[in-house]
């Protein structure tokens, strides 16, 4: 099974920035979508952003559009989520996921990372 390893989480003050990284254990196919989700206590897991490995097509959720940028580094085989202007309500566990069929839906994700905690204080 493909493993996804997230890093970059931590504790920041409101208005701060973080860059999350996700490193797959195997090289991504061009059709693969790599995506970021988050889940806060008592809430469902929420889609944030996704990117198609081949052409770099991106999709963003309304909740993060304008504050977050998803990108990939083909040389490092890594996907990133740059988050700026963080708010306390962004506090959650952030997960990397992959859909080999090229979709962006939570239900279609084939692989999930263990998550990295982001805490934003007031």
């Amino acid at each position: 099974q493909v493993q996804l390893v997230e890093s970059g989480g931590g504790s920041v003050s409101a208005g701060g920035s973080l860059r999350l990284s996700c490193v797959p254990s195997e090289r991504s196919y061009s059709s693969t979508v790599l995506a970021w989700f988050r889940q806060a206590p008592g809430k469902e897991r929420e889609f944030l952003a996704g990117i198609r490995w081949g052409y770099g097509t991106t999709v963003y959720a309304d909740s993060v559009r304008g504050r977050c940028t998803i990108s990939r580094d083909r040389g490092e085989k890594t996907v990133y989520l740059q988050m700026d202007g963080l708010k306390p309500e962004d506090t959650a566990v952030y997960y990397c996921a992959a859909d080999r069929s090229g979709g962006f839906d939570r239900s279609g994700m084939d692989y999930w990372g263990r998550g990295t905690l982001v805490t934003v204080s007031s």
Side-chain angles (χ1 to χ4, degrees), residues 2-5 22-28 34 53 76-79 96:
V2 173
Q3 295 181 348
L4 305 172
V5 180
C22 174
V23 182
S25 61
E26 299 178 9
R27 189 179 187 276
S28 297
L34 293 172
W53 191 258
E76 297 293 330
K77 302 178 178 64
T78 302
V79 63
C96 181

Side-chain angles (χ1 to χ4, degrees), residues 18-119:
L18 285 173
R19 189 180 73 163
L20 307 182
S21 299
C22 174
V23 182
S25 61
E26 299 178 9
R27 189 179 187 276
S28 297
Y29 295 100
S30 295
S31 59
T32 297
V33 164
L34 293 172
W36 288 97
F37 294 77
R38 70 183 179 190
Q39 187 166 25
K43 296 185 177 181
E44 65 181 5
R45 193 164 297 187
E46 175 191 17
F47 171 81
L48 300 176
I51 186 168
R52 287 199 170 95
W53 191 258
Y55 290 113
T57 305
T58 58
V59 173
Y60 291 95
D62 290 339
S63 60
V64 299
R65 188 175 292 113
R67 297 191 297 126
C68 296
T69 301
I70 188 169
S71 62
R72 73 201 193 284
D73 186 324
R74 296 187 182 186
E76 297 293 330
K77 302 178 178 64
T78 302
V79 63
Y80 302 97
L81 184 69
Q82 176 69 42
M83 302 188 293
D84 302 306
L86 287 166
K87 307 172 182 178
E89 50 263 45
D90 293 320
T91 296
V93 176
Y94 285 68
Y95 297 91
C96 181
D99 186 340
R100 297 176 65 184
S101 66
F104 294 86
D105 296 329
R106 179 179 60 191
S107 61
M109 296 294 152
D110 300 301
Y111 308 104
W112 292 87
R114 292 186 175 183
T116 184
L117 178 64
V118 171
T119 302

